[in-house]
Amino acid sequence: MGCRYCQSYYRAFPAETLAASQRWDEAIERIDDCLRLTDELEERLYSSELHLKKARYLQASGAGNAAVQASLLQAAQVARDSGKHRTETEALVALQALALAGPDVAGRLKELAALRPEMSVRTPVHAHIT
């Protein structure tokens, strides 16, 4: 059929398998391929989640805080632009956990909690794959 809809989503599944085996570089490479595909197909439905996965994999691989922070900020911005409150919250909470968050992050988390009361400001950080 030639359908390419949601390919960035489906092609990210192997990254999870690679990450579960602690093959971080390969998992990150797979996520980067998916992010390139979102640009190629102009389909950004899943891109905030891809940036969040990349940040988690970078952190688990021992990458520097700057790389992790860049991915988390990208995840939060794309999620905010897309109205994905849960993904934005996860990215911002992860930033806070790295002690890299400024007052604007805390303020935005309070805004998100007001928008979505079921998402507490104390949302637990997603467990890293180890």
Side-chain angles (χ1 to χ4, degrees):
M1 292 173 57
C3 180
R4 297 180 76 186
Y5 182 70
C6 288
Q7 286 300 303
S8 63
Y9 172 77
Y10 293 116
R11 290 182 184 195
F13 289 150
E16 293 175 18
T17 302
L18 292 164
S21 299
Q22 297 183 4
R23 294 166 59 184
W24 306 118
D25 291 339
E26 294 169 87
I28 293 165
E29 183 178 323
R30 176 60 95 160
I31 295 297
D32 284 338
D33 288 343
C34 291
L35 287 166
R36 280 189 288 279
L37 190 60
T38 64
D39 290 336
E40 178 185 322
L41 299 176
E42 295 182 14
E43 180 188 72
R44 292 172 181 85
L45 181 65
Y46 190 60
S47 59
S48 60
E49 291 85 349
L50 290 170
H51 285 290
L52 187 56
K53 283 180 187 285
K54 181 177 179 177
R56 290 177 180 148
Y57 299 163
L58 284 166
Q59 187 174 27
S61 75
N65 279 349
V68 176
Q69 180 182 21
S71 287
L72 288 171
L73 288 170
Q74 188 70 24
Q77 186 59 54
V78 172
R80 185 175 188 168
D81 293 344
S82 304
K84 293 185 172 188
H85 299 136
R86 184 170 307 282
T87 303
E88 183 183 1
T89 299
E90 285 185 43
L92 294 175
V93 168
L95 273 172
Q96 276 191 329
L98 290 174
L100 299 172
D104 55 331
V105 170
R108 180 60 183 160
L109 282 170
K110 287 179 184 176
E111 290 173 15
L112 287 165
L115 286 171
R116 301 279 304 270
E118 73 276 13
M119 292 189 309
S120 169
V121 174
R122 292 177 290 279
T123 301
V125 177
H126 181 75
H128 297 290
I129 299 171
T130 57

mmCIF file of all heavy atoms in Angstrom, residues 52 72-73 75-77 80 85-102 104-110 112 121 123 125:
data_model
loop_
_atom_site.group_PDB
_atom_site.id
_atom_site.type_symbol
_atom_site.label_atom_id
_atom_site.label_comp_id
_atom_site.label_asym_id
_atom_site.label_seq_id
_atom_site.Cartn_x
_atom_site.Cartn_y
_atom_site.Cartn_z
ATOM 1 N N LEU A 52 11.674 12.627 24.385
ATOM 2 C CA LEU A 52 11.705 12.186 25.782
ATOM 3 C C LEU A 52 12.430 10.844 25.906
ATOM 4 O O LEU A 52 13.260 10.662 26.806
ATOM 5 C CB LEU A 52 10.283 12.098 26.336
ATOM 6 C CG LEU A 52 10.128 11.821 27.825
ATOM 7 C CD1 LEU A 52 10.869 12.847 28.672
ATOM 8 C CD2 LEU A 52 8.651 11.806 28.187
ATOM 9 N N LEU A 72 15.433 16.948 26.757
ATOM 10 C CA LEU A 72 14.275 17.193 27.614
ATOM 11 C C LEU A 72 13.593 18.519 27.275
ATOM 12 O O LEU A 72 12.359 18.602 27.245
ATOM 13 C CB LEU A 72 14.685 17.171 29.085
ATOM 14 C CG LEU A 72 15.038 15.802 29.661
ATOM 15 C CD1 LEU A 72 15.630 15.949 31.056
ATOM 16 C CD2 LEU A 72 13.823 14.884 29.670
ATOM 17 N N LEU A 73 14.387 19.542 27.027
ATOM 18 C CA LEU A 73 13.810 20.839 26.648
ATOM 19 C C LEU A 73 13.062 20.736 25.322
ATOM 20 O O LEU A 73 11.978 21.310 25.162
ATOM 21 C CB LEU A 73 14.899 21.904 26.569
ATOM 22 C CG LEU A 73 15.472 22.368 27.909
ATOM 23 C CD1 LEU A 73 16.707 23.240 27.699
ATOM 24 C CD2 LEU A 73 14.404 23.123 28.706
ATOM 25 N N ALA A 75 11.708 17.987 24.094
ATOM 26 C CA ALA A 75 10.501 17.206 24.360
ATOM 27 C C ALA A 75 9.421 18.087 24.977
ATOM 28 O O ALA A 75 8.256 18.038 24.562
ATOM 29 C CB ALA A 75 10.823 16.043 25.294
ATOM 30 N N ALA A 76 9.809 18.903 25.952
ATOM 31 C CA ALA A 76 8.839 19.768 26.619
ATOM 32 C C ALA A 76 8.250 20.796 25.657
ATOM 33 O O ALA A 76 7.040 21.030 25.655
ATOM 34 C CB ALA A 76 9.488 20.470 27.808
ATOM 35 N N GLN A 77 9.097 21.385 24.816
ATOM 36 C CA GLN A 77 8.612 22.408 23.881
ATOM 37 C C GLN A 77 7.681 21.825 22.827
ATOM 38 O O GLN A 77 6.620 22.371 22.548
ATOM 39 C CB GLN A 77 9.777 23.127 23.200
ATOM 40 C CG GLN A 77 9.338 24.293 22.336
ATOM 41 C CD GLN A 77 8.587 25.351 23.128
ATOM 42 O OE1 GLN A 77 9.069 25.841 24.125
ATOM 43 N NE2 GLN A 77 7.385 25.690 22.685
ATOM 44 N N ARG A 80 4.452 20.917 24.469
ATOM 45 C CA ARG A 80 3.651 22.114 24.760
ATOM 46 C C ARG A 80 2.978 22.623 23.500
ATOM 47 O O ARG A 80 1.785 22.949 23.504
ATOM 48 C CB ARG A 80 4.534 23.197 25.372
ATOM 49 C CG ARG A 80 3.750 24.405 25.815
ATOM 50 C CD ARG A 80 4.618 25.409 26.532
ATOM 51 N NE ARG A 80 3.789 26.448 27.092
ATOM 52 C CZ ARG A 80 4.194 27.338 27.965
ATOM 53 N NH1 ARG A 80 5.436 27.308 28.420
ATOM 54 N NH2 ARG A 80 3.380 28.253 28.419
ATOM 55 N N HIS A 85 0.032 17.506 27.436
ATOM 56 C CA HIS A 85 0.350 17.921 28.796
ATOM 57 C C HIS A 85 1.116 16.867 29.583
ATOM 58 O O HIS A 85 2.026 17.188 30.345
ATOM 59 C CB HIS A 85 -0.930 18.305 29.545
ATOM 60 C CG HIS A 85 -1.648 19.445 28.904
ATOM 61 N ND1 HIS A 85 -3.003 19.461 28.716
ATOM 62 C CD2 HIS A 85 -1.184 20.602 28.375
ATOM 63 C CE1 HIS A 85 -3.359 20.579 28.113
ATOM 64 N NE2 HIS A 85 -2.280 21.287 27.898
ATOM 65 N N ARG A 86 0.766 15.610 29.418
ATOM 66 C CA ARG A 86 1.435 14.558 30.183
ATOM 67 C C ARG A 86 2.904 14.444 29.772
ATOM 68 O O ARG A 86 3.790 14.361 30.623
ATOM 69 C CB ARG A 86 0.731 13.217 30.001
ATOM 70 C CG ARG A 86 1.337 12.115 30.868
ATOM 71 C CD ARG A 86 0.513 10.848 30.876
ATOM 72 N NE ARG A 86 -0.878 11.036 31.223
ATOM 73 C CZ ARG A 86 -1.359 11.209 32.464
ATOM 74 N NH1 ARG A 86 -0.521 11.231 33.468
ATOM 75 N NH2 ARG A 86 -2.644 11.351 32.689
ATOM 76 N N THR A 87 3.182 14.476 28.483
ATOM 77 C CA THR A 87 4.567 14.379 28.015
ATOM 78 C C THR A 87 5.359 15.603 28.442
ATOM 79 O O THR A 87 6.515 15.490 28.865
ATOM 80 C CB THR A 87 4.619 14.206 26.480
ATOM 81 O OG1 THR A 87 3.855 13.048 26.127
ATOM 82 C CG2 THR A 87 6.034 14.041 25.983
ATOM 83 N N GLU A 88 4.742 16.769 28.354
ATOM 84 C CA GLU A 88 5.424 17.988 28.807
ATOM 85 C C GLU A 88 5.746 17.898 30.292
ATOM 86 O O GLU A 88 6.861 18.229 30.723
ATOM 87 C CB GLU A 88 4.567 19.217 28.525
ATOM 88 C CG GLU A 88 5.254 20.508 28.916
ATOM 89 C CD GLU A 88 4.404 21.752 28.721
ATOM 90 O OE1 GLU A 88 3.241 21.659 28.291
ATOM 91 O OE2 GLU A 88 4.924 22.856 29.017
ATOM 92 N N THR A 89 4.804 17.424 31.071
ATOM 93 C CA THR A 89 5.020 17.275 32.508
ATOM 94 C C THR A 89 6.167 16.312 32.786
ATOM 95 O O THR A 89 7.050 16.606 33.605
ATOM 96 C CB THR A 89 3.733 16.792 33.211
ATOM 97 O OG1 THR A 89 2.703 17.775 33.014
ATOM 98 C CG2 THR A 89 3.956 16.568 34.692
ATOM 99 N N GLU A 90 6.182 15.168 32.106
ATOM 100 C CA GLU A 90 7.261 14.194 32.311
ATOM 101 C C GLU A 90 8.622 14.811 31.995
ATOM 102 O O GLU A 90 9.589 14.593 32.732
ATOM 103 C CB GLU A 90 7.043 12.956 31.440
ATOM 104 C CG GLU A 90 5.957 12.048 31.945
ATOM 105 C CD GLU A 90 5.857 10.783 31.124
ATOM 106 O OE1 GLU A 90 6.903 10.197 30.783
ATOM 107 O OE2 GLU A 90 4.727 10.364 30.833
ATOM 108 N N ALA A 91 8.699 15.559 30.914
ATOM 109 C CA ALA A 91 9.976 16.176 30.534
ATOM 110 C C ALA A 91 10.408 17.218 31.563
ATOM 111 O O ALA A 91 11.578 17.274 31.947
ATOM 112 C CB ALA A 91 9.861 16.805 29.148
ATOM 113 N N LEU A 92 9.480 18.026 32.028
ATOM 114 C CA LEU A 92 9.816 19.071 32.994
ATOM 115 C C LEU A 92 10.185 18.481 34.357
ATOM 116 O O LEU A 92 11.108 18.966 35.021
ATOM 117 C CB LEU A 92 8.658 20.061 33.124
ATOM 118 C CG LEU A 92 8.364 20.891 31.871
ATOM 119 C CD1 LEU A 92 7.127 21.752 32.081
ATOM 120 C CD2 LEU A 92 9.559 21.733 31.462
ATOM 121 N N VAL A 93 9.489 17.426 34.766
ATOM 122 C CA VAL A 93 9.821 16.764 36.032
ATOM 123 C C VAL A 93 11.219 16.156 35.937
ATOM 124 O O VAL A 93 12.007 16.229 36.890
ATOM 125 C CB VAL A 93 8.754 15.710 36.399
ATOM 126 C CG1 VAL A 93 9.219 14.809 37.527
ATOM 127 C CG2 VAL A 93 7.444 16.398 36.780
ATOM 128 N N ALA A 94 11.535 15.578 34.789
ATOM 129 C CA ALA A 94 12.879 15.006 34.601
ATOM 130 C C ALA A 94 13.943 16.105 34.654
ATOM 131 O O ALA A 94 15.020 15.899 35.211
ATOM 132 C CB ALA A 94 12.952 14.250 33.279
ATOM 133 N N LEU A 95 13.635 17.276 34.099
ATOM 134 C CA LEU A 95 14.565 18.411 34.198
ATOM 135 C C LEU A 95 14.786 18.800 35.651
ATOM 136 O O LEU A 95 15.913 19.051 36.072
ATOM 137 C CB LEU A 95 14.034 19.618 33.420
ATOM 138 C CG LEU A 95 14.364 19.706 31.953
ATOM 139 C CD1 LEU A 95 13.595 20.846 31.299
ATOM 140 C CD2 LEU A 95 15.855 19.886 31.738
ATOM 141 N N GLN A 96 13.717 18.842 36.407
ATOM 142 C CA GLN A 96 13.841 19.175 37.828
ATOM 143 C C GLN A 96 14.684 18.138 38.552
ATOM 144 O O GLN A 96 15.483 18.480 39.413
ATOM 145 C CB GLN A 96 12.466 19.263 38.488
ATOM 146 C CG GLN A 96 11.797 20.592 38.332
ATOM 147 C CD GLN A 96 10.572 20.710 39.219
ATOM 148 O OE1 GLN A 96 9.896 19.726 39.502
ATOM 149 N NE2 GLN A 96 10.279 21.922 39.649
ATOM 150 N N ALA A 97 14.513 16.886 38.210
ATOM 151 C CA ALA A 97 15.270 15.818 38.864
ATOM 152 C C ALA A 97 16.766 15.948 38.587
ATOM 153 O O ALA A 97 17.587 15.531 39.401
ATOM 154 C CB ALA A 97 14.771 14.450 38.403
ATOM 155 N N LEU A 98 17.106 16.536 37.458
ATOM 156 C CA LEU A 98 18.518 16.764 37.135
ATOM 157 C C LEU A 98 19.054 18.020 37.811
ATOM 158 O O LEU A 98 20.220 18.357 37.650
ATOM 159 C CB LEU A 98 18.701 16.918 35.621
ATOM 160 C CG LEU A 98 18.510 15.679 34.765
ATOM 161 C CD1 LEU A 98 18.576 16.041 33.291
ATOM 162 C CD2 LEU A 98 19.556 14.640 35.109
ATOM 163 N N ALA A 99 18.189 18.709 38.532
ATOM 164 C CA ALA A 99 18.545 19.971 39.183
ATOM 165 C C ALA A 99 18.966 21.013 38.153
ATOM 166 O O ALA A 99 19.823 21.843 38.411
ATOM 167 C CB ALA A 99 19.632 19.761 40.238
ATOM 168 N N LEU A 100 18.335 20.954 36.985
ATOM 169 C CA LEU A 100 18.639 21.914 35.921
ATOM 170 C C LEU A 100 17.473 22.855 35.662
ATOM 171 O O LEU A 100 17.518 23.653 34.748
ATOM 172 C CB LEU A 100 18.964 21.154 34.618
ATOM 173 C CG LEU A 100 20.166 20.234 34.679
ATOM 174 C CD1 LEU A 100 20.257 19.399 33.410
ATOM 175 C CD2 LEU A 100 21.434 21.043 34.855
ATOM 176 N N ALA A 101 16.442 22.720 36.450
ATOM 177 C CA ALA A 101 15.242 23.499 36.197
ATOM 178 C C ALA A 101 15.303 24.853 36.881
ATOM 179 O O ALA A 101 15.766 24.969 38.006
ATOM 180 C CB ALA A 101 14.022 22.731 36.684
ATOM 181 N N GLY A 102 14.823 25.843 36.190
ATOM 182 C CA GLY A 102 14.725 27.180 36.743
ATOM 183 C C GLY A 102 13.319 27.442 37.237
ATOM 184 O O GLY A 102 12.455 26.569 37.171
ATOM 185 N N ASP A 104 11.017 29.074 35.889
ATOM 186 C CA ASP A 104 10.013 28.979 34.835
ATOM 187 C C ASP A 104 9.484 27.554 34.697
ATOM 188 O O ASP A 104 8.327 27.340 34.368
ATOM 189 C CB ASP A 104 10.568 29.484 33.504
ATOM 190 C CG ASP A 104 11.845 28.774 33.078
ATOM 191 O OD1 ASP A 104 12.612 28.317 33.938
ATOM 192 O OD2 ASP A 104 12.063 28.682 31.857
ATOM 193 N N VAL A 105 10.320 26.549 34.984
ATOM 194 C CA VAL A 105 9.888 25.155 34.927
ATOM 195 C C VAL A 105 8.899 24.883 36.057
ATOM 196 O O VAL A 105 7.848 24.288 35.840
ATOM 197 C CB VAL A 105 11.090 24.185 34.986
ATOM 198 C CG1 VAL A 105 10.638 22.754 35.170
ATOM 199 C CG2 VAL A 105 11.923 24.321 33.723
ATOM 200 N N ALA A 106 9.206 25.333 37.243
ATOM 201 C CA ALA A 106 8.304 25.130 38.378
ATOM 202 C C ALA A 106 6.963 25.814 38.118
ATOM 203 O O ALA A 106 5.903 25.243 38.395
ATOM 204 C CB ALA A 106 8.934 25.660 39.659
ATOM 205 N N GLY A 107 7.021 27.007 37.560
ATOM 206 C CA GLY A 107 5.785 27.725 37.238
ATOM 207 C C GLY A 107 4.955 27.000 36.203
ATOM 208 O O GLY A 107 3.731 26.906 36.320
ATOM 209 N N ARG A 108 5.612 26.485 35.182
ATOM 210 C CA ARG A 108 4.886 25.760 34.136
ATOM 211 C C ARG A 108 4.288 24.468 34.687
ATOM 212 O O ARG A 108 3.169 24.095 34.331
ATOM 213 C CB ARG A 108 5.809 25.467 32.943
ATOM 214 C CG ARG A 108 5.138 24.713 31.829
ATOM 215 C CD ARG A 108 3.948 25.460 31.229
ATOM 216 N NE ARG A 108 3.313 24.649 30.202
ATOM 217 C CZ ARG A 108 2.086 24.826 29.778
ATOM 218 N NH1 ARG A 108 1.347 25.811 30.255
ATOM 219 N NH2 ARG A 108 1.585 24.036 28.843
ATOM 220 N N LEU A 109 5.010 23.791 35.577
ATOM 221 C CA LEU A 109 4.453 22.581 36.186
ATOM 222 C C LEU A 109 3.197 22.905 36.992
ATOM 223 O O LEU A 109 2.230 22.133 36.982
ATOM 224 C CB LEU A 109 5.497 21.888 37.060
ATOM 225 C CG LEU A 109 6.537 21.072 36.299
ATOM 226 C CD1 LEU A 109 7.665 20.645 37.235
ATOM 227 C CD2 LEU A 109 5.913 19.871 35.626
ATOM 228 N N LYS A 110 3.176 24.039 37.661
ATOM 229 C CA LYS A 110 1.976 24.449 38.397
ATOM 230 C C LYS A 110 0.827 24.744 37.436
ATOM 231 O O LYS A 110 -0.316 24.388 37.702
ATOM 232 C CB LYS A 110 2.280 25.668 39.272
ATOM 233 C CG LYS A 110 3.112 25.329 40.484
ATOM 234 C CD LYS A 110 3.409 26.552 41.318
ATOM 235 C CE LYS A 110 4.331 26.171 42.468
ATOM 236 N NZ LYS A 110 4.729 27.332 43.252
ATOM 237 N N LEU A 112 0.421 23.359 34.495
ATOM 238 C CA LEU A 112 -0.034 22.064 33.996
ATOM 239 C C LEU A 112 -0.889 21.342 35.027
ATOM 240 O O LEU A 112 -1.894 20.708 34.681
ATOM 241 C CB LEU A 112 1.163 21.205 33.596
ATOM 242 C CG LEU A 112 1.867 21.640 32.311
ATOM 243 C CD1 LEU A 112 3.236 20.973 32.187
ATOM 244 C CD2 LEU A 112 1.009 21.351 31.096
ATOM 245 N N VAL A 121 2.071 17.884 40.650
ATOM 246 C CA VAL A 121 3.399 18.475 40.473
ATOM 247 C C VAL A 121 4.453 17.478 40.931
ATOM 248 O O VAL A 121 5.582 17.498 40.484
ATOM 249 C CB VAL A 121 3.501 19.799 41.261
ATOM 250 C CG1 VAL A 121 4.909 20.350 41.212
ATOM 251 C CG2 VAL A 121 2.515 20.806 40.702
ATOM 252 N N THR A 123 4.621 14.370 40.193
ATOM 253 C CA THR A 123 4.589 13.209 39.310
ATOM 254 C C THR A 123 5.924 12.495 39.356
ATOM 255 O O THR A 123 6.973 13.118 39.183
ATOM 256 C CB THR A 123 4.299 13.658 37.845
ATOM 257 O OG1 THR A 123 3.068 14.336 37.823
ATOM 258 C CG2 THR A 123 4.253 12.453 36.924
ATOM 259 N N VAL A 125 9.211 10.555 38.363
ATOM 260 C CA VAL A 125 10.008 10.502 37.150
ATOM 261 C C VAL A 125 9.941 9.086 36.607
ATOM 262 O O VAL A 125 10.027 8.119 37.359
ATOM 263 C CB VAL A 125 11.469 10.907 37.439
ATOM 264 C CG1 VAL A 125 12.324 10.775 36.196
ATOM 265 C CG2 VAL A 125 11.522 12.315 37.997
#
